[in-house]
Each structure stands twice: as structure tokens, then as C-alpha cells.
Amino acid sequence: MTKLALVRHGQSAWNLENRFTGWWDADLTEKGEAEARHSGTLLKGVDADFRAAFTSVQTRAIRTLWMALTEMGRVWVPVEKNWQLNERHYGGLTGLDKAETAAKHGDEQVHVWRRSYDVPPPPIDEDSQYNPAKDPRYKGIDVPATESLKSTLERVLPYWTSEIAPVLSAGTDTVIAAHGNSLRALVKHLFNVPDESITGIEIPTGNPLLIDLDANLKPVSVRYLDPARATPLPELP
């Protein structure tokens, strides 16, 4: 079996401040760094030979991967970074305090924006200080103005198919360090999770999700490495 480890980045500064982060490049907090190292410690104890790693182009995911690989004694593992593994773009909500947003728009509307499968938040203003369109790391990319989980999946899946799946098909144990929604998109694809159920799947920080894949990249087993901090697992397809 080929092993795939999904690692959600540790707590970021904007997670701590309860702000919608999305594509904004918030860094890890001290707690987030500790969670990243804990993920690496857990992965080091797995009977696997991790020789490939993928992450987004966002600092919190990149640094999470660095710290995890350091704890694993695997800093030499080749790492591929790509924007298609970025967090979901929260559009006009980016930078807003979640409690204040709920007070302004209502809890129900905010819940729809956060947890529906195909309803995106309002688009970000072009002149917003949080608009990533002019960030040099996205040069030549058609940066979205907002995203739903569905549109996040639509840009994650081509990268999975073209870059990650061939590595796994070759039998290479692989780590993906990314974000709550880009990892949720991968879980939806791998486990055929229904649209109405996928938002209930949430990989916790500091607790890798380990998946055994068969030759056709179908999951045959799945578990969290820290059972004490586990959330509901996706059902095997």
C-alpha cells in the first residue's frame, strides 16, 4: 500500500484573531509551530518511507511542512509548491473578524458562506488591501475574487491528477501540507463524500490524516495519528 499523509497547517496569526484568512499570507503562531512539529513527530512514528511532499505557496503551510520534515529527519525530501493547494479564497470576507461579520450579516448568512458547498462569499474589492491579485507569487495566474468549496475543488483536482497522483501511483509515500479547505477538497475526491456531507469533515491542526491507497489510488484504510484529537473520519468508498 502507498501511504498519503494529509497535514493541515498549524494555527496562524489570523486564526488566533478569529479573522477570515483565505489567500492572505498569515504566518504561524507559536502554537502553530508547535502543532507543525507535533505533526512531524507523529509522522516519524509511522511505518512509511515518505519521499515526496507537496504544499501551497502560502507561508503557514510551507513552514508547517518544513517543521514537520525536520522532526521526521526528512528535510531532504523534494518539495513541490503550487497555488492550486492554497486555502479557499474568502473574497470580501478576507480580513474581517468572524464575530463582527456575523453581527453585520447574520449568523445564518455567514454559516452559508462558510459551510455550504457551492455558495461563495461576496467577491473581494479590487482595491482591497487584502486582494492577492498583485502578489508576485501569483504573477500570470487568473486569481479568483472569491471561492466556494466547489470552486476550490475545481482548481485542486487538476493539480492532484497531473502532479500528485502520478507520484503516488509510482508507489511513493507522500505528505501534503495544506489548508482546511484544500485538504477537504482532496478528501471529498478520494472518499466520494456527498456534497451535503463534505463540510462536516474537518482535519484538525497538528494531527495528520494517514490514508493507505491501493494501486488504483482508492483508500483502503484511514486514521488520525493522534486518536485523542481526532474528528469524524470520512467513510471508505
Side-chain angles (χ1 to χ4, degrees), residues 88-201:
R88 171 189 172 190
H89 192 323
Y90 274 103
L93 302 185
T94 304
L96 298 180
D97 177 274
K98 293 177 182 177
E100 292 175 346
T101 306
K104 180 179 179 180
H105 296 283
D107 288 334
E108 184 175 346
Q109 179 61 70
V110 174
H111 181 76
V112 169
W113 286 333
R114 293 189 67 191
R115 293 303 183 186
S116 68
Y117 176 60
D118 56 3
V119 179
I124 197 167
D125 291 337
E126 287 188 15
D127 59 355
S128 170
Q129 63 178 315
Y130 303 127
N131 187 354
K134 294 182 180 180
D135 189 313
R137 79 191 78 188
Y138 304 121
K139 184 177 181 180
I141 294 170
D142 186 13
V143 176
T146 185
E147 290 181 307
S148 63
L149 178 55
K150 179 181 179 182
S151 53
T152 302
L153 174 61
E154 288 169 351
R155 51 118 163 135
V156 169
L157 192 53
Y159 186 68
W160 164 268
T161 301
S162 65
E163 303 298 329
I164 302 175
V167 173
L168 291 164
S169 292
T172 305
D173 294 337
T174 298
V175 178
I176 301 176
H179 308 261
N181 283 293
S182 52
L183 293 178
R184 186 180 281 122
L186 286 176
V187 167
K188 177 173 172 52
H189 169 68
L190 286 170
F191 293 88
N192 297 321
V193 182
D195 295 355
E196 64 273 12
S197 303
I198 187 55
T199 55
I201 300 295

Side-chain angles (χ1 to χ4, degrees), residues 19 32 37 54 72 84 130 145 161 166 184:
R19 301 167 76 181
R37 289 190 289 268
F54 296 85
M72 295 162 66
Q84 288 171 275
Y130 303 127
T161 301
R184 186 180 281 122

